[in-house]
Amino acid sequence: MKTAEFVEKYCRWADYYYGEQVLALLEKKNYDCILWENGCSAYQARPVQCSTYPFWSWMIKDKAMWEDCAKDCPGMNKGKTWTYEEILKNKNAYDQNKPLTKQEVEKLIEEERE
């Protein structure tokens, strides 16, 4: 699927810092991700934000924050036990990830057309 088609079908522009707009996935009426259908329909190509969840720096800041977030996520505190190194790797990837700006996406779309 071409970038322009994906953006039009699955994305929206979200306000970011300093009046900038960045690309965000659409949400369903219940706030689930547009790509969620009994599991992630884009699992192998999911964005960093999704692949690092729930090891976002603000979520792992302390136990109270973690437990508060776990109230809304049925998968937290279940399943695989992650090593400190794995958690740190995910946290760092999340911290280093910067969303695509409208200008960057428009450039990608234009490059695809060439």
Side-chain angles (χ1 to χ4, degrees), residues 65-78:
M65 178 61 74
W66 176 269
E67 294 302 333
D68 191 49
C69 292
K71 292 175 190 172
D72 295 322
C73 178
M76 288 176 68
N77 295 328
K78 296 175 179 66

Side-chain angles (χ1 to χ4, degrees), residues 98-112:
K98 301 293 180 229
L100 291 171
T101 65
K102 192 167 189 174
Q103 183 179 13
E104 291 168 328
V105 173
E106 288 171 346
K107 183 179 178 189
L108 287 171
I109 291 169
E110 187 59 37
E111 289 172 354
E112 270 186 6

Side-chain angles (χ1 to χ4, degrees), residues 19-97:
E20 194 166 43
Q21 288 195 312
V22 296
L23 195 63
L25 287 170
L26 287 170
E27 300 90 10
K28 296 179 183 179
K29 288 182 181 178
N30 66 356
Y31 300 105
D32 280 354
C33 174
I34 192 73
L35 300 175
W36 185 261
E37 293 295 332
N38 296 322
C40 179
S41 63
Y43 190 80
Q44 295 302 325
R46 66 197 187 281
V48 171
Q49 180 177 358
C50 300
S51 66
T52 59
Y53 183 86
F55 303 118
W56 301 348
S57 44
W58 65 270
M59 290 179 76
I60 62 173
K61 183 176 75 170
D62 57 49
K63 185 170 178 59
M65 178 61 74
W66 176 269
E67 294 302 333
D68 191 49
C69 292
K71 292 175 190 172
D72 295 322
C73 178
M76 288 176 68
N77 295 328
K78 296 175 179 66
K80 169 185 170 170
T81 300
W82 295 73
T83 66
Y84 174 79
E85 290 77 18
E86 291 171 319
I87 294 169
L88 188 59
K89 181 180 176 184
N90 279 286
K91 176 210 170 289
N92 289 340
Y94 175 80
D95 288 345
Q96 293 169 10
N97 184 54

